Amino acid sequence: MSHAAHGYERAPAPEVKGPETTPTNRAATALAPAPSGLKSASSTASEATGRDAYFDNAKYLAIVLVAVAHAWEPVMDGSRAARALYMVIYTFHMPAFIIVSGYFSRSYQGKPHQLRRLLTGIALPYVVFEVAYSLFVRYANDDPSHPISLLDPFYLTWFLAALFIWRLTTPLWRMVRWPMSIALAIGALAALTPDIGADLNLARVLQFLPFFVLGLCLKPEHFQLLRRREVRLLTVPVVAGALLFAYWVAPRASLSWFYRSGSVQERGWPWYSGLVVVIALFGCALVLSAAFLALVPGRRAWFTALGAGTICGYLLHGFVIKAGDYWGVFESQAWLGGPVGLVVVTLCAGGMVTLLCSPPVRRVLRFVTEPEMKWAFRQDSAESGPRR
């Protein structure tokens, strides 16, 4: 679902496990299956599987936006409209994903079975795909000296590292009295600290932290409120206003603000004015995330089942985007930057990630995204009580 200095370069941009499901999560919170306590107008099939169609729909639609935005990066420079749309999408697509991830992390208490799922569902995919992407760069981009470093997340893998850190800290956020205030202060300080370093993309992890903590603080009734008819109607002028503003500011705005991978000083801004931009961007992300979640359908649709496979779509689509970049497809086909080309790119990216989220792909990748690995862990006789 975001990047470093440039959108499609080193370390860019979704596991969610429902509070009432088996071991904490299947692999990348907003990406994996998870029932919720939210009552919606889902069909009987949703209730029979213990899943909420609304959140599956949200995860699928968010991953489509992630893939489309990544596909636009190499070809959008000549289009002001595409740049504006890209800015709007990047304002909310990762924050919305992270909010949902936090919401489904509410039951995490660091119990043994939860820690096992943290290792198998997040840490293992991170290691496997970090190595896979690094090897892909070596051979597909003819860069044999490209390092393999588990401390320097490449392209998409930063989110898994971030989710691992956020999930581990969940009990702390549930314990403190003012979690949102503290998380916002940490995020702001991270944006004002140039010397954090690149290990695990910590600057980005901390700047996105408030959205995860917000998800932890949310309750089912908050999502019910978003889905009221009057709220949905209100999203129309909100989104329209965001698009108009983005179109106006697109030629002069730096995209690095949206990636949150560095400090304001590194962007050439003084700390005091940069802090204003950081706060404003957080507010915009919050409003647009709410608008997105308000517009997500609550009933089962043809794509609802694909929400269970978003971890696969997220981790795999980067290989396709990078291949097009390394092999000169985007550079050689200048027409892709025109109106027709951008439509083609959008449709191809959406179709590609849809296929990658499909049940057959999920089954093939289950050995790395949803492994049981019982052989790797000792039975803990001290663990008791229902698993949540």
Side-chain angles (χ1 to χ4, degrees):
M1 32 232 172
S2 319
H3 329 242
H6 188 62
Y8 57 100
E9 293 175 3
R10 187 106 181 139
E15 139 188 24
V16 284
K17 192 69 176 174
E20 309 302 330
T21 40
T22 58
T24 81
N25 224 344
R26 290 256 184 213
T29 10
L31 306 169
S36 76
L38 180 62
K39 292 294 183 181
S40 66
S42 304
S43 67
T44 305
S46 288
E47 297 177 359
T49 59
R51 304 177 57 88
D52 192 312
Y54 170 76
F55 287 107
D56 278 340
N57 293 341
K59 289 184 289 181
Y60 168 76
L61 294 174
I63 203 64
V64 168
L65 292 177
V66 168
V68 168
H70 284 167
W72 282 352
E73 287 164 6
V75 298
M76 69 180 184
D77 283 347
S79 172
R80 181 175 180 176
R83 187 180 176 89
L85 282 170
Y86 177 90
M87 289 169 57
V88 171
I89 291 175
Y90 252 84
T91 300
F92 74 87
H93 77 335
M94 283 312 298
F97 233 117
I98 294 167
I99 288 171
V100 173
S101 298
Y103 177 74
F104 282 112
S105 297
R106 294 171 300 157
S107 66
Y108 182 83
Q109 299 174 10
K111 294 181 178 180
H113 74 275
Q114 294 175 323
L115 289 170
R116 286 195 292 270
R117 290 309 303 172
L118 193 64
L119 291 173
T120 60
I122 300 178
L124 177 65
Y126 171 73
V127 172
V128 170
F129 279 90
E130 178 62 26
V131 172
Y133 270 108
S134 297
L135 292 175
F136 183 73
V137 175
R138 286 188 178 187
Y139 297 105
N141 197 34
D142 193 21
D143 183 9
S145 63
H146 183 86
I148 298 177
S149 172
L150 297 182
L151 292 179
D152 190 8
F154 181 80
Y155 197 39
L156 304 171
T157 57
W158 75 270
F159 183 78
L160 295 180
L163 190 58
F164 186 85
I165 295 171
W166 293 332
R167 180 66 65 78
L168 278 179
T169 65
T170 293
L172 297 177
W173 299 113
R174 302 306 302 272
M175 179 179 66
V176 298
R177 189 177 297 244
W178 302 289
M180 274 308 301
S181 299
I182 297 172
L184 284 170
I186 292 174
L189 289 173
L192 301 176
T193 308
D195 301 323
I196 288 181
D199 288 353
L200 294 179
N201 240 305
L202 193 56
R204 177 178 292 157
V205 172
L206 296 178
Q207 290 183 55
F208 275 117
L209 173 65
F211 298 105
F212 183 81
V213 175
L214 174 61
L216 291 175
C217 297
L218 292 179
K219 298 179 180 179
E221 49 265 33
H222 294 127
F223 290 94
Q224 291 173 341
L225 177 64
L226 281 179
R227 295 163 61 188
R228 294 177 61 175
R229 184 173 182 273
E230 52 269 32
V231 176
R232 293 189 177 194
L233 291 176
L234 186 60
T235 62
V236 176
V238 168
V239 173
L243 290 171
L244 288 174
F245 179 77
Y247 187 81
W248 173 73
V249 80
R252 57 186 71 87
S254 170
L255 297 179
S256 63
W257 289 102
F258 301 93
Y259 306 144
R260 295 176 172 86
S261 57
S263 67
V264 300
Q265 294 91 333
E266 291 170 328
R267 300 185 185 102
W269 285 60
W271 71 268
Y272 47 88
S273 55
L275 181 59
V276 174
V277 177
V278 169
I279 295 173
L281 187 59
F282 175 81
C284 292
L286 195 57
V287 171
L288 289 178
S289 295
F292 167 74
L293 293 171
L295 293 173
V296 169
R299 295 182 178 276
R300 285 191 64 83
W302 64 267
F303 53 80
T304 300
L306 299 174
T310 47
I311 178 65
C312 302
Y314 178 75
L315 291 173
L316 292 178
H317 84 272
F319 288 106
V320 181
I321 303 298
K322 283 295 184 181
D325 183 27
Y326 295 155
W327 298 339
V329 175
F330 299 119
E331 186 176 357
S332 63
Q333 304 296 320
W335 65 276
L336 291 176
V340 174
L342 286 168
V343 172
V344 171
V345 169
T346 301
L347 294 176
C348 289
M352 168 192 66
V353 79
T354 297
L355 290 175
L356 295 177
C357 291
S358 63
V361 175
R362 183 185 172 204
R363 283 194 293 270
V364 170
L365 281 187
R366 183 164 288 160
F367 76 99
V368 67
T369 59
E370 306 175 44
E372 290 294 333
M373 292 183 64
K374 293 181 179 179
W375 54 268
F377 303 99
R378 290 181 294 185
Q379 289 291 335
D380 189 346
S381 58
E383 184 180 4
S384 59
R387 290 188 174 188
R388 292 185 300 166

